[in-house]
Structure formats: C-alpha cells, structure tokens
Amino acid sequence: MDFASILSTEIKKRKPSTPSASTSKYLKRSDLESARQAEYLASQARLESERAEKAAKKRQLELEEEARQEALREKQRRLAEESRGKREEEEAARLGKSKKSKEPAGGDGKEETPIPAEEDLPEEEVLARLRKLKQPIRLFGETPLQRIKRLHKLERGGGGEEEGEKEEKPKSPTPTRFSTSKPHLTQPTLTESEMQVCLTDITANPKKVYAQLLSWLRLVLLEWDLSLSARPLSVRQSYSGKDATKAYVQAQSYMGPLFKLLEKQDLHPDIFPKVCEIVYYAQQRKYVTANDVYLRLSIGNAAWPIGVTMVGIHERSAREKLHEKGMAAHIMSDEVTRKYLQSIKRCLKFCQVRWPPEDQLQLMG
C-alpha cells in the first residue's frame, strides 16, 4: 500500500458522514409535545408506583402494630387473671384464718367488694402507677384489692382525707397558722378615733401616746395578717406569695421587743418621739414624710467616720460631731433596735397599700 492510498483512507475517515434522508434539520412542535407528554406520563406512573409501595408498607406496619397491641392486651388480660386468682387465694386464706381465730372483720366487708374486670390490673402495673403518682406503694395491712381501689381513687382525683383537710385549712376563719401563737396579735384596745396620735401629747401625755402606738401597731399587724389570709391558694403557694408570708412572719417576730417596751413605757427617749412622728404621718397617710422621719431615725445626721479618725496627737476638726447628742444612727446601736425599726418600715409599706393616700405623691417608691 503506497502513501497515496493511506492518505486517501485517512481523509475519508476525517470527512463527516452525509446525513441520511430520514434525519432533518428541523423538528415539529407536535413531535416535541408528544415526547414531553410521554416523559410526563412515565414520571407519573413511576410516582404512582412509589405511592402504592409506600401505602403497602404502611398497611403492613399498621397490621404488625395492631397484632403487637393485641398480643400485649392479651398478656395484660392473662396477668390480670393470674393476679386476681392469687388475690382470691390470699383473701380466702386470710378469711379462713380470721374465722379460726374468731377476730372481728373490722370493716372488711366493704373492702371485699369485687372490682370490675376492666379496672383490674396486674400487681407490677399498680406499683408502677403508684410510684408515678408519688404515693406509697404499700400501706400497712393493705390487701392487693384495696391497693387497686386506692390507685383508682387517686387517679380520679379523690386525694383521700388528708388532701381534703389540706384544702380546707386555708379556708378556716383563723387569719394564718403563724398568728395563733403570737400574743401581740390581739384586737387593739382602743378604737380608731382614739388611736389618732397628737404631736403635742408626746411630751404632755406620754402614757396616752404609748397606748396609742401599741394599739395602732397591733391593728396594722392584724390587718396585714388578714390580707395575707384572704389571698387565693395559688397566690399563697407561689414564690412571691411565700416571700410575702415570710416577710410578715419576720416582721411579726422582730416587733416583739418593741411591744414589750411599749407595754412597759420604756422606749429610748431619742427613739420614742421619732416613732410617734412616723405613726402620726402614717395615720395622716403622708407616707413620704413618715419615710423621711424613718430615715432620720435610722441613718441619722451624724458624721460617718471613714478610715482612721486619729492619726496623731492632735484632734482633727469636727471630730466631736461623731458622737453629738441627738444625731446618732440608732439603727446601728444594737441588733434588736435595728430589727424592730426595719419592721416599722415594712408596716409603712403595707399601710400605703391597705390605706392608700389621696395624694399620689405621698406614695413611697
């Protein structure tokens, strides 16, 4: 084979093949539409087959689940029958022993009444459900039949006698459970008009003012106690309700020494007039002014020593003001005084809620 033949062969290979008569440069719209429709029908048939396959699988799973639930119900029914038979044997044995020993039944006839078959449960399930309800799984002398009845009673919301007593306790006419042991929560001896403090009586008739202070503070504590008792049970059991009750109980206990001093008419001469002013302005519903008097009483106007007060042999200027008469911070003097003065401030906060002022500017912040 010479070079010319090889070259012609290669040229023939590289030349494009001539189109056949059947192929055409242009396509018809009908052909494109028929091809698209055929493709759409094929995809819909494929989706339909997938749906049918999923539905068949779902029906199969439902049948399997139904068979499993039926087997479980059959097992529970069988266990309940076995448990019932065991309980009947125990009851027969117990009754036989009681008849032999000639002991009284003690109300067993009420407990021996049978329960419906649909309420009968196996022992394991009864114990598990009692644990879930946070109830004791067994009581002393309780039979399995009584245990099932107790479970159904708890699930229906009966709660027994103890829960009923707990619900009835807050509705009792007594103010609170903390007030019964407090002797100073008695009714005030003076009427409301006789409790009105006059500033001129502080020096002219201190015995009358002592009685007025004692009666008014007792009235405030009694009203506070009644307002806490009037709250609904949901509010009392909330965090804010428990904090309010705790604050009241603390103030009640802290004011015990103050009541003793008022009964003995032996209040500190620097504290007595300030307490009278606080009560006077509180009765006039001027709570901001009463709070200012409380601040002067508790913090005082005395200079507060910061750091070292004596750094040499010479006395520093204005050092004598640290212990000036009538300007001491009495709330810092001892723990008992601090506590009952803070309790007076809590009584002021309650008073502005119980007896709100006409002028809103007199409300403490």
Side-chain angles (χ1 to χ4, degrees), residues 204-220:
N205 193 358
K207 292 184 178 181
K208 177 183 176 182
V209 177
Y210 271 113
Q212 290 173 338
L213 293 179
L214 186 61
S215 297
W216 187 80
L217 290 173
R218 280 178 176 172
L219 175 65
V220 171

Side-chain angles (χ1 to χ4, degrees), residues 261-275:
L261 292 173
L262 291 175
E263 289 172 354
K264 295 178 182 178
Q265 300 181 2
D266 193 20
L267 202 59
H268 195 280
D270 292 337
I271 300 177
F272 175 65
K274 294 290 191 299
V275 174

Side-chain angles (χ1 to χ4, degrees), residues 176-178 224 228 231 235-236 238-254 343 346:
T176 58
R177 65 171 184 262
F178 307 103
W224 194 355
L228 292 177
R231 298 174 300 171
V235 177
R236 274 179 283 179
S238 62
Y239 289 109
S240 58
K242 290 179 181 178
D243 290 341
T245 306
K246 184 179 179 182
Y248 164 72
V249 174
Q250 193 178 56
Q252 190 186 57
S253 62
Y254 285 174
S343 301
R346 289 180 179 177

Side-chain angles (χ1 to χ4, degrees), residues 25 40 71 103 109 122 159 168 170 199 220 228-229 248 263 283 287 296 316 326 335 342 347:
K25 185 178 180 180
Y40 172 75
E103 294 180 356
E168 292 173 1
L199 296 179
V220 171
L228 292 177
S229 302
Y248 164 72
E263 289 172 354
Q283 290 175 347
Y287 299 111
R296 289 200 304 271
R316 299 179 66 181
E335 193 73 9
Q342 283 183 348
C347 290

Side-chain angles (χ1 to χ4, degrees), residues 181-223:
S181 61
K182 301 297 178 182
H184 50 267
L185 266 184
T186 56
Q187 293 288 339
T189 56
L190 302 179
T191 62
E192 187 175 354
S193 59
E194 294 173 346
M195 292 180 195
Q196 299 298 322
V197 178
C198 184
L199 296 179
T200 57
D201 292 338
I202 298 176
T203 55
N205 193 358
K207 292 184 178 181
K208 177 183 176 182
V209 177
Y210 271 113
Q212 290 173 338
L213 293 179
L214 186 61
S215 297
W216 187 80
L217 290 173
R218 280 178 176 172
L219 175 65
V220 171
L221 284 181
L222 189 61
E223 290 290 333

